[in-house]
Amino acid sequence: MLKIGGIEMKNQVVLAPMAGVCNPAFRLIAKEFGTGLVCAEMVSDKAIIHGNKRTREMLFVDEREKPLSLQIFGGDRESLVEAAKVVDQETNADIIDINMGCPVPKVTKCDAGARWLLDPNKIYEMVSAVVESVNKPVTVKMRIGWDSEHIYAVENARAVERAGGQAVSVHGRTREQLYTGLANWDIIKEVKEAVSIPVIGNGDVASPEDARRMLDLTNCDGVMIGRGALGNPWMLYRTIEYLQSGELLPDPSPEEKIRIAILHMDRLVALKGEAVAVREMRKHLAWYLKGLKGSARIKDVIMEETKRDDMVRILDQFVSQLHMVENDEPFTSAASPAAVAQ
């Protein structure tokens, strides 16, 4: 099993720290679907220090989510250390993760995120400063390199280990690739062979079979699932089951998808209030509906909705409509696409 510091996970599956996705509402669903470790979306070190209300909300950890990793980012050593102390002393997160993989310019321009990939010495300096200042285990999430000409994954992972980092997650793409092209699992394997701390592989894990292949090829200690879980937490438990027993469980029914989507929305409402939650839920529902017959029409309708109850009504009617299609029943006016859109 995957073990980070003194924290042992019940399996090898990790939910990636996706921005705008991995809040407590989705993390708790991932945990209920069996995920060994869930990671919170990254939070700016300076935002943590300034302590604004929204940032403090992002640091909230439901006890049911544990073990949980809370990710921070920043380019200044002093502020990163101070933010890490806040996470260490004022939250019930189990692990402090440092982001050195985020490719977006507004982060890299601040000498943070993927910018560190160019300088193993800075990685050592920053990670060691955090490790010395906190009690919780410190980990790092990184990419294999800045671009194809600057791939220092092995050197960077070794710097993390020397600095006292307890694990490293490696996304098999460069910063230049963003989320395009293929993830290079061979370099993840090189990292695993170069360090003795746990290595978690990330990138192009879209099915349970992908997770098995990654583990077999790289010998990494855990597999991190990101985009494959968007609107699809079943990917997490199906992967867990497949890794443990070799059994490939079936995909969920449309009813089950919609049931969990509504649960997700209701948790977001409790967390953020109806107005914010329903707007935020639109993108999630587009993911939950992916692959369902006739979902394109329903997505257009959902993008205009602002009320929780109206959203639920539309989703319930959509499922009823799917049943009629499957059973070759005639549409009733109540379940027609036009009625759904009202």
Side-chain angles (χ1 to χ4, degrees), residues 40 72 164 185 221 227 238-240 272 279 299:
I72 60 176
W185 293 359
D221 302 276
R227 289 177 293 164
R238 292 177 73 237
T239 299
I240 293 161
K272 302 187 174 189
R279 281 200 307 272
K299 287 175 189 174

Side-chain angles (χ1 to χ4, degrees), residues 111-280:
D111 201 26
R115 192 72 192 174
W116 294 18
L117 300 172
L118 292 165
D119 189 353
N121 291 328
K122 171 152 188 171
I123 291 170
Y124 174 79
E125 172 195 331
M126 300 287 270
V127 175
S128 60
V130 171
V131 168
E132 290 167 7
S133 304
V134 300
N135 293 314
K136 298 182 193 287
V138 176
T139 62
V140 166
K141 184 172 191 293
M142 68 179 195
R143 286 175 175 248
I144 57 172
W146 180 260
D147 55 30
S148 59
E149 302 298 316
H150 302 85
I151 294 179
Y152 307 141
V154 168
E155 298 93 325
N156 290 340
R158 284 175 172 160
V160 170
E161 183 175 36
R162 286 200 319 275
Q166 298 285 301
V168 60
S169 301
V170 184
H171 182 165
R173 287 183 174 84
T174 64
R175 182 266 169 192
E176 184 180 56
Q177 282 181 275
L178 301 177
Y179 298 96
T180 64
L182 296 175
N184 190 325
W185 293 359
D186 290 330
I187 294 178
I188 298 175
K189 179 181 181 180
E190 291 175 14
V191 170
K192 173 59 186 170
E193 292 170 349
V195 298
S196 59
I197 57 176
V199 174
I200 300 167
N202 178 221
D204 290 350
V205 180
S207 69
E209 298 97 320
D210 289 338
R212 179 76 271 163
R213 282 193 295 271
M214 173 182 273
L215 290 168
D216 290 345
L217 174 69
T218 67
N219 199 33
C220 60
D221 302 276
V223 57
M224 180 175 278
I225 297 172
R227 289 177 293 164
L230 294 176
N232 187 20
W234 299 270
M235 164 62 177
L236 300 165
Y237 90 78
R238 292 177 73 237
T239 299
I240 293 161
E241 183 61 35
Y242 187 70
L243 294 179
Q244 291 178 346
S245 72
E247 182 183 359
L248 195 58
L249 298 176
D251 285 318
S253 65
E255 293 92 340
E256 174 68 1
K257 278 194 165 190
I258 297 306
R259 184 181 73 82
I260 296 299
I262 292 171
L263 172 65
H264 187 167
M265 177 167 60
D266 286 343
R267 285 179 174 169
L268 268 181
V269 169
L271 197 67
K272 302 187 174 189
E274 183 178 39
V276 173
V278 172
R279 281 200 307 272
E280 187 173 314

Side-chain angles (χ1 to χ4, degrees), residues 18 23 78 89 111 129 134 175 181 226 246 271 305 314 326 332:
M18 294 174 284
N23 52 46
E78 184 177 336
Q89 298 167 17
D111 201 26
V134 300
R175 182 266 169 192
L271 197 67
E305 284 304 326
I314 290 167
E326 290 170 0
T332 64

Side-chain angles (χ1 to χ4, degrees), residues 12 20 31 35 37 39 42 48 51 80 97 142 173 207 233 255 275 280 286 291 295-296 336:
Q12 296 170 283
K31 182 62 69 172
T35 310
L37 176 67
C39 302
M42 67 179 188
I48 291 173
L80 193 71
D97 188 59
M142 68 179 195
R173 287 183 174 84
S207 69
E255 293 92 340
E280 187 173 314
S295 63
S336 68

